[in-house]
Amino acid sequence: MLKLSSKSATAWRALQRQCAAGMATAAPRIGDTKVSMSPLEPNAYINYQRIEDNLAVVRDRLQRPLTLSEKIVYGHLDNPHEQEIVRGTSYLKLRPDRVACQDATAQMALLQFMSAGMDTAAVPTTVHCDHLIQAQVGGVKDLARAININREVYDFLATATAKYGLGFWKPGSGIIHQIVLENYAFPGGMMIGTDSHTPNAGGLGMVACGVGGADAVDVMAGIPWELKCPKVIGVKLTGKIGGWTTPKDVILKVAGILTVKGGTGAIVEYFGPGVESLSCTGMATICNMGAEIGATTSLFPYNHRMADYLKATKRADIAAYANSFAHNLQADAGAEYDQVIEINLNELEPHINGPFTPDLATPISKLAEEAKKNDWPDDIRVGLIGSCTNSSYEDMTRSASIVKQAADHGLGFKSKFTVTPGSEQVRATIARDGQVEAFETAGGIVLANACGPCIGQWDRQDTKKGEKNTIVTSYNRNFTGRNDANPATHAFVASPDLTTALAFAGRLSFNPLTDSLVGADGKEFKFDAPNGYELPPRGYDPGENTFQAPPADRASVQVAVDPKSDRLQLLKPFKPWDGKTPEDIPVLIKVKGKCTTDHISAGGPWLKYRGHLENISQNCLIGAINIENNEANKIKNQITGEYGGVPQVGAYYRDRGIKWVVIGDHNYGEGSSREHAALEPRFLGGLAIITRSFARIHETNLKKQGMLALTFADPADYDKVQPSDKVSILGLETFSPGKNLTLRLKHEDGTSEDISLAHSFNEGQIEWFKAGSALNLMAAKGSKA
């Protein structure tokens, strides 16, 4: 537990006096006021009273000031009286306010929920169709094509949400995180979502965490959500943002400081006077990309910029309610953080991160030098703005201001340029206000309101696979091959402002702060710093209504699943642990280096199989590099001696009753929350994933599916495992929290050695393993009830 400094102790005593004075005046209960969480859910109310009551218990127990994230997290405890609360150690049982699912992950989440035997979700839940729309020629045609191709999946989602009482956002509505920000996020709330960028809602002061579908099913079924008590990293912002520097540059800088794993197991909490210079949607951008540093979530304290956004999105009643609860929507004076980073916004330069990883941060003033030194292609083939990270009205108007400056000098885009509106509301508003016309006149293409190229849904035709090239995006993630499936594409992440300016220059070495372009008249000019509107002066245009509320009569609704479908497949329970020590089983693959969820379960064309476990398992680990031969999807079958694809060899072992393990490197499973990366190895007969370290969401997903997620007690022991080894895992008969297991290696030369394996399983998670999955355990308990 944190040791209280003298400064914090003084602050704590002052806080106690303040609370005592408040109690003496017998103030009305905050819960006496009833405010709906969303205009779309008039009968689901914000529960500030629970936070107030829980914190009274927690404050009395901890006797110290609390950070904002602690207030919200502990305010949602299932049992504040008995819950152990130690940052970085305890497993908390929490009661989130809501669940959100995107269409690619919702399929499996709903299939699992159907297996649980419930008839209604216990908390408000929504499903959003944003992942299955491929960017090809433009918004209208791409959307029509997607609706036709994915009709079967959309029908399943529409009928399943109607059957179980969930809200359904049809294709074309927009990206899940923008829809949530516009309609559902609220200060002090807690939400889980089946997408790693769910923390976007932290821009409205909400603790919003990305999870796998099995976690979502727990909450939908009324079971407390389990989360290891997060550490808290504080980021103090001073100064004032302005000029070419944007909120995106804050998180690009933080990513460079913390790296892709520096936020693992922690909530990143922003505070300080610099916060006041950020818009609500700018704060959401920062929180969104916190997923790239492995953070549990990120959030900002409630302020007037959030209130303005709530009012602009027709939620003035929530703003007023939050104003009355503001004392619990900011950190206590003297609250202590596990780590503090300070960033002076006056001195912060625009950054561009990449290629191939979102934490390689380069200030714009150093970019030309770094590009030349590292042989990054200078010619920019495509600039892409939008996505769930940067598609707000403010983002679009700032980019449009740069387009207007170029147009005034007779210039169009030199690189190809695409715009992805984050929601139908934003699209309709920028169409009304002229930004769409400006983009298209300059040569840009406005894509559908969907994820598109950000997640690999991009039918890119201007380069061949293997051709070295550069693209610049305002997205969040730039792993190898993520956007276009071309491992030679150098993808860089920047603000929409920088991306737009670079697309006019067509060169990575161009610095819009210092360099000039030549206009159509032959004269040089420099861009002025962009400007835009935080919120639309004429208000938002809602555009087309794409929301489907659950019907009043749900009993007659039939969920659409064709038994012959190659896209949807009802689930069969995994087998429970047989109680035996796994002995002399093969290493399926020893993975070399970075292995993200994109490597484990590729996106792009594979997204169509997200509801069919058998079919999508054919992509299991096909992107991982085999340390034996430095090749992807080519491993040795230890029984036949022949080489084959990873899924094929895994299935060969499974069909002969042979369990297997995967050996992985650091931060294994970073990236997306997709639980398919855990479901697939489980389906193919895997027993354990053994790594130097895990990304948080993936480790939890493996446990939920009944797999052993184990780490080398000494990370250097990774080097001792040979791809040809036969391994045994000793100690499962006495598997218990905090007690290491033993990995016995039998090498081809006849020698053997034992190494120690650590794990983070608690008692409940061990029961998941024994039962075969968390869903199996839930069903077993339900049958006994």
Side-chain angles (χ1 to χ4, degrees):
M1 194 168 293
L2 294 181
K3 185 178 181 182
L4 214 58
S5 69
S6 58
K7 179 181 176 182
S8 295
T10 301
W12 171 244
R13 287 191 290 273
L15 184 64
Q16 286 180 310
R17 290 193 295 272
Q18 180 183 347
C19 291
M23 290 174 64
T25 58
R29 285 166 45 90
I30 190 78
D32 292 342
T33 302
K34 300 295 183 186
V35 175
S36 298
M37 278 195 271
S38 168
L40 298 172
E41 297 164 348
N43 298 316
Y45 300 108
I46 294 173
N47 195 350
Y48 281 157
Q49 189 62 56
R50 172 175 57 185
I51 298 176
E52 188 85 16
D53 294 344
N54 276 9
L55 291 185
V57 176
V58 171
R59 289 186 190 284
D60 185 59
R61 291 181 57 198
L62 298 186
Q63 294 288 305
R64 62 171 174 82
L66 301 175
T67 67
L68 170 61
S69 51
E70 287 182 305
K71 287 184 177 183
I72 300 176
V73 171
Y74 305 160
H76 286 79
L77 285 171
D78 183 49
N79 183 353
H81 295 276
E82 298 176 3
Q83 172 69 62
E84 181 187 49
I85 303 172
V86 182
R87 285 188 199 169
T89 301
S90 308
Y91 279 91
L92 306 180
K93 298 285 189 180
L94 301 165
R95 291 285 185 178
D97 298 295
R98 65 180 312 109
V99 174
C101 306
Q102 40 94 331
D103 50 356
T105 53
Q107 296 170 63
M108 195 58 66
L110 289 173
L111 288 166
Q112 290 179 88
F113 183 74
M114 290 164 62
S115 300
M118 303 284 293
D119 59 5
T120 305
V123 301
T125 302
T126 52
V127 170
H128 305 258
C129 294
D130 61 359
H131 271 56
L132 300 179
I133 302 168
Q134 186 183 55
Q136 197 172 62
V137 295
V140 175
K141 291 183 178 179
D142 290 348
L143 176 60
R145 178 171 174 267
I147 291 174
N148 182 53
I149 291 172
N150 301 307
R151 189 174 303 280
E152 178 185 12
V153 172
Y154 293 146
D155 285 349
F156 166 68
L157 295 174
T159 54
T161 52
K163 182 71 173 178
Y164 297 108
L166 320 182
F168 180 62
W169 289 84
K170 301 173 187 177
S173 302
I175 305 172
I176 176 173
H177 312 303
Q178 297 309 308
I179 299 297
V180 166
L181 197 73
E182 292 173 0
N183 296 277
Y184 299 112
F186 65 90
M190 174 177 280
M191 178 180 72
I192 62 170
T194 59
D195 189 281
S196 57
H197 294 103
T198 299
N200 190 81
L204 264 175
M206 191 175 209
V207 166
C209 303
V211 299
D215 275 349
V217 171
D218 279 355
V219 177
M220 291 165 66
I223 296 173
W225 174 50
E226 186 174 79
L227 176 71
K228 181 175 278 191
C229 187
K231 294 183 179 180
V232 188
I233 298 173
V235 179
K236 183 178 182 180
L237 302 180
T238 60
K240 185 177 181 181
I241 208 155
W244 281 91
T245 303
T246 70
K248 183 64 164 282
D249 298 301
V250 175
I251 186 57
L252 294 176
K253 176 70 173 179
V254 170
I257 294 169
L258 289 176
T259 77
V260 291
K261 58 182 180 180
T264 302
I267 291 178
V268 179
E269 183 176 313
Y270 293 83
F271 66 99
V275 169
E276 295 303 313
S277 68
L278 305 176
S279 67
C280 176
T281 52
M283 290 186 270
T285 290
I286 293 170
C287 293
N288 176 294
M289 200 174 156
E292 271 42 80
I293 57 174
T296 301
T297 193
S298 303
L299 81 160
F300 280 83
Y302 176 71
N303 65 6
H304 70 96
R305 311 297 280 266
M306 295 183 191
D308 290 345
Y309 183 78
L310 286 167
K311 293 170 187 174
T313 51
K314 297 181 171 52
R315 293 175 288 171
D317 55 341
I318 296 179
Y321 200 33
N323 288 339
S324 70
F325 197 58
H327 61 286
N328 275 329
L329 300 176
Q330 57 188 351
D332 291 337
E336 294 196 342
Y337 299 89
D338 295 281
Q339 178 182 353
V340 175
I341 297 167
E342 187 164 338
I343 296 176
N344 185 337
L345 298 178
N346 293 332
E347 300 173 354
L348 180 63
E349 248 190 283
H351 276 62
I352 186 163
N353 286 26
F356 307 123
T357 184
D359 59 352
L360 180 57
T362 305
I364 186 65
S365 62
K366 303 288 185 184
L367 183 60
E369 175 188 336
E370 289 297 311
K372 185 175 181 180
K373 182 171 70 176
N374 293 287
D375 194 29
W376 297 335
D378 190 44
D379 174 52
I380 298 173
R381 297 285 180 87
V382 191
L384 307 98
I385 68 167
S387 83
C388 67
T389 316
N390 278 109
S391 56
S392 67
Y393 186 79
E394 180 179 39
D395 290 328
M396 295 295 154
T397 55
R398 285 177 64 93
S399 287
S401 77
I402 297 170
V403 174
K404 184 179 184 304
Q405 291 182 60
D408 290 343
H409 293 275
L411 292 187
F413 290 113
K414 191 167 185 179
S415 308
K416 292 184 178 180
F417 190 77
T418 69
V419 180
T420 305
S423 68
E424 168 61 9
Q425 180 167 264
V426 167
R427 185 212 60 78
T429 306
I430 64 173
R432 179 198 68 191
D433 293 351
Q435 288 85 23
V436 166
E437 182 182 5
F439 291 133
E440 292 180 337
T441 300
I445 298 173
V446 178
L447 300 174
N449 314 322
C451 298
C454 184
I455 61 161
Q457 283 283 49
W458 184 16
D459 183 21
R460 188 180 182 191
Q461 299 291 332
D462 64 301
T463 59
K464 296 179 181 179
K465 192 167 185 176
E467 182 181 349
K468 191 174 178 181
N469 73 102
T470 285
I471 65 173
V472 180
T473 83
S474 72
Y475 303 162
N476 44 44
R477 197 163 279 166
N478 59 345
F479 301 138
T480 302
R482 172 162 175 99
N483 302 122
D484 60 1
N486 180 4
T489 293
H490 290 54
F492 295 86
V493 176
S495 67
D497 305 11
L498 210 55
T499 303
T500 304
L502 289 170
F504 281 108
R507 295 182 284 110
L508 196 62
S509 55
F510 176 72
N511 181 352
L513 283 72
T514 58
D515 299 344
S516 299
L517 294 177
V518 177
D521 57 3
K523 296 180 180 179
E524 290 190 352
F525 76 95
K526 277 176 57 178
F527 284 118
D528 294 328
N531 60 77
Y533 292 97
E534 178 177 348
L535 297 166
R538 296 163 58 192
Y540 284 107
D541 183 333
E544 183 182 348
N545 182 10
T546 52
F547 176 68
Q548 172 189 293
D553 177 18
R554 296 188 281 115
S556 59
V557 176
Q558 297 295 315
V559 179
V561 179
D562 183 347
K564 300 177 183 177
S565 171
D566 69 345
R567 296 196 63 177
L568 295 166
Q569 181 185 53
L570 297 177
L571 297 175
K572 296 179 181 178
F574 293 128
K575 293 180 180 179
W577 177 49
D578 58 14
K580 299 176 182 178
T581 296
E583 293 184 303
D584 297 336
I585 61 177
V587 174
L588 180 68
I589 181 174
K590 182 178 179 181
V591 178
K592 179 182 179 181
K594 185 186 280 285
C595 190
T596 71
T597 48
D598 282 349
H599 294 91
I600 305 167
S601 176
W606 290 95
L607 286 173
K608 64 183 178 182
Y609 296 126
R610 285 283 181 87
H612 197 293
L613 182 53
E614 184 175 359
N615 285 347
I616 200 169
S617 292
Q618 296 308 301
N619 77 1
C620 184
L621 284 160
I622 62 175
I625 300 301
N626 180 8
I627 200 169
E628 181 186 16
N629 53 18
N630 287 319
E631 294 188 50
N633 204 30
K634 185 177 180 181
I635 62 172
K636 186 176 183 180
N637 184 319
Q638 301 298 334
I639 307 301
T640 67
E642 298 175 352
Y643 281 83
V646 180
Q648 289 71 40
V649 176
Y652 180 94
Y653 293 152
R654 176 201 61 196
D655 294 345
R656 285 154 183 80
I658 302 168
K659 298 182 175 68
W660 46 260
V661 304
V662 168
I663 305 298
D665 213 320
H666 284 295
N667 208 32
Y668 184 91
E670 71 173 276
S672 169
S673 69
R674 68 191 67 159
E675 66 177 341
H676 298 75
L679 279 161
E680 292 173 30
R682 183 74 170 98
F683 177 79
L684 292 172
L687 172 72
I689 311 293
I690 305 169
T691 71
R692 294 193 207 245
S693 63
F694 284 103
R696 174 190 65 87
I697 300 176
H698 185 60
E699 181 180 24
T700 300
N701 286 347
L702 288 168
K703 293 177 181 179
K704 283 276 185 176
Q705 300 306 333
M707 287 202 76
L708 292 170
L710 309 172
T711 56
F712 297 104
D714 179 357
D717 285 342
Y718 165 89
D719 296 322
K720 295 179 179 178
V721 184
Q722 303 304 312
S724 59
D725 285 345
K726 294 293 179 65
V727 307
S728 302
I729 299 176
L730 311 180
L732 287 177
E733 295 85 350
T734 56
F735 193 14
S736 59
K739 184 178 179 181
N740 285 4
L741 301 172
T742 298
L743 182 68
R744 177 163 292 163
L745 307 175
K746 289 186 180 179
H747 304 305
E748 271 190 312
D749 62 6
T751 62
S752 65
E753 58 185 313
D754 289 354
I755 58 179
S756 183
L757 298 179
H759 65 85
S760 61
F761 282 78
N762 60 27
E763 291 285 2
Q765 294 167 348
I766 291 171
E767 292 304 309
W768 298 343
F769 166 70
K770 291 179 179 178
S773 72
L775 191 61
N776 285 0
L777 190 63
M778 181 196 300
K781 290 180 177 179
S783 65
K784 295 176 182 177

